[in-house]
Every structure is written in structure tokens, then in C-alpha cells.
Amino acid sequence: MAQSISTPQLDSPSSSLPIHIATLKCVRTGKAMPFTREQLSAINKAPITAPVAVNYLGLVTDEQADRRHHGGYLKAVHQMSSATYDKLNSEFNLKLEVGLLGENLTTTAVEGNQEMTEATVCIGDIYQYGEAEDCVQLRVVQPRRPCYKINDQIGPTASNRNIASWITNQGISGWYFQVVKDGIMQNELPVYLVHRPYPFANLKQLWTLANSKQKISKEIIEPWLDIDCLEDSWKKVLAKKI
């Protein structure tokens, strides 16, 4: 029997946009360096204070060691909520600091708005960072899929519990942006939600569908398959759930 899963709407009608929702508190970039298992990785992202240019491949000073699985125009910029670290530290009795797991951007909500999390960010959303002509616009196109490097980065605790798998099951790994408009990024820029074409398509719901062990009704899945900007591998996962 096909499973019926609700698809809650988020309160951001197009007529009310743009909305000033957050402040960009930290921008991070990294270099490909020796990592575990005789691999290179750029998961160690360091905070930067100087303005950095953003083009269709992301922040120009950011690197990806494994270009098969990381980087590219559909994984140009990675953002993750600081709430992910709160959950990890609570679940595994850790003291992880924000920025450890490879994200480029960290934001904090402005008064009266919710934090940017998987529950409040939708596929297709376009966010604007900054206000001047050199502002950056980014479109959400897919969640991040955690890999073993998350475990290696955290250390023995992760190896014993497979934290990367736990993050996947929880659906709290952040999201990737496609660059819509090149520009300049720096700390303390205002963040605006400027476009929300698919208000039903929040990332929490996407993970719920993708992780479902049961078949799901066609009526639930088809709207997701019609999202033009959702990365194809996610559409394939969802199509198999029908």
C-alpha cells in the first residue's frame, strides 16, 4: 500500500517577497589538503574576513579535492544550519564547533524570522546575499549527501556510531546552491528570500520522502518530479518510491 505523506506549506507567498530573513555571519573557504585514508580533502573550511568573489562554480578561493562528488555548478556553495551542530553535540556528547563539516556559509535569523534550516528552506528558493549591484543570488537545488569524510573529520566517536549515516537519516546535512547571479560575498551581509516557486518542497520533507521504506502515492511524488531545478539524482530516488 502506498504511503500518504503530508506536504506542509511554508508561509512565504510570492506577493510578500523579498523578505529580509537573516544575516550572513561567516563565510568559509578551504584548500585541498592531505586528509585521512591517504586522500585529499577541502572539508576544513577556514573563516575569511575579506570580500570574496562568487562565480558559477562558487567562491573563487574555495577548493574541492574530489570533483566527482563535490563542487560543480550544482554544488557551487554549501550552507548548513548551526542547529545541526547542536543536535550532533547533544546526541553524541560532543563539542563540535560550527564550520567543522565543510559548509561555506553560516547565517543567523533576523528578529521575527525563523533560522534557515531544512524545515524552512525549499528547493527552488532563491536567496540574495547583499543589497548593492555586486550582491550574490543563490538557488537551492539539492540537499547535501554526507559521506565517510564526515566520520573521519569528527574522529573515533563518529567511526563507532557512523555519524554520517545518522545525519543522513535525520536529514540535517545542509543544502547546495546553484549560483544565479555572480557577485561579492562577505560577513554581515543581509540575506533576503527573493523567490519561492515551490513552497511545498522544503528539504525536511524531501529527506522524509527519500528515506521512506514504504511506497508513496503518485500524487505526493509527482509534484517533486515537476520541479525543474531539483537535481536529477534526487528525482530518480523519488520516482522509485511510487
Side-chain angles (χ1 to χ4, degrees), residues 21 30 63 70 88 97 106 119 133 162 182 195 233 238:
I21 62 168
E63 293 183 0
H70 303 283
L88 285 171
E97 295 184 359
T106 301
E133 292 183 1
N162 196 346
D182 296 0
H195 189 46
S233 68
L238 295 178

Side-chain angles (χ1 to χ4, degrees), residues 81-205:
S81 170
S82 58
T84 294
Y85 290 91
D86 296 335
K87 293 175 182 177
L88 285 171
N89 289 335
S90 175
E91 175 71 18
F92 297 98
N93 193 28
L94 297 170
K95 295 181 180 180
L96 305 179
E97 295 184 359
V98 174
L100 183 73
L101 302 182
E103 66 269 30
N104 298 116
L105 309 179
T106 301
T107 62
T108 58
V110 298
E111 186 175 355
N113 287 275
Q114 295 177 300
E115 296 287 351
M116 294 177 70
T117 70
E118 288 77 10
T120 62
V121 169
C122 296
I123 296 294
D125 282 359
I126 296 179
Y127 294 92
Q128 178 173 304
Y129 297 73
E131 297 175 313
E133 292 183 1
D134 59 0
C135 68
V136 175
Q137 290 188 346
L138 305 175
R139 177 187 289 117
V140 179
V141 292
Q142 61 180 315
R144 177 195 188 180
R145 288 186 174 97
C147 68
Y148 74 88
K149 290 180 181 178
I150 295 287
N151 290 340
D152 288 358
Q153 177 76 332
I154 294 174
T157 298
S159 299
N160 294 336
R161 293 282 305 274
N162 196 346
I163 290 180
S165 178
W166 186 85
I167 292 174
T168 299
N169 292 333
Q170 296 292 314
I172 54 172
S173 55
W175 51 91
Y176 284 117
F177 290 112
Q178 177 185 17
V179 177
V180 176
K181 178 185 177 299
D182 296 0
I184 303 294
M185 274 194 167
Q186 58 186 318
N187 296 340
E188 301 301 327
L189 288 178
V191 181
Y192 297 89
L193 173 60
V194 299
H195 189 46
R196 172 160 283 173
Y198 307 107
F200 68 89
N202 68 79
L203 298 176
K204 180 178 179 180
Q205 183 69 8

Side-chain angles (χ1 to χ4, degrees), residues 29 52-62 64 72-73 75-77 104 138 177 179 182-183:
T29 63
V52 59
V54 178
N55 62 25
Y56 79 105
L57 289 178
L59 291 85
V60 297
T61 58
D62 195 38
Q64 297 83 35
Y73 76 100
K75 296 180 180 178
V77 179
N104 298 116
L138 305 175
F177 290 112
V179 177
D182 296 0

Side-chain angles (χ1 to χ4, degrees), residues 192-219:
Y192 297 89
L193 173 60
V194 299
H195 189 46
R196 172 160 283 173
Y198 307 107
F200 68 89
N202 68 79
L203 298 176
K204 180 178 179 180
Q205 183 69 8
L206 176 54
W207 275 112
T208 297
L209 296 172
N211 289 335
S212 175
K213 303 300 183 183
Q214 303 178 34
K215 290 296 183 179
I216 301 169
S217 67
K218 183 178 180 181
E219 290 73 18

Side-chain angles (χ1 to χ4, degrees), residues 74 141-142 145 228-237:
L74 294 179
V141 292
Q142 61 180 315
R145 288 186 174 97
D228 57 356
C229 61
L230 177 60
E231 193 269 336
D232 285 344
S233 68
W234 288 90
K235 290 186 178 182
K236 292 177 181 178
V237 169

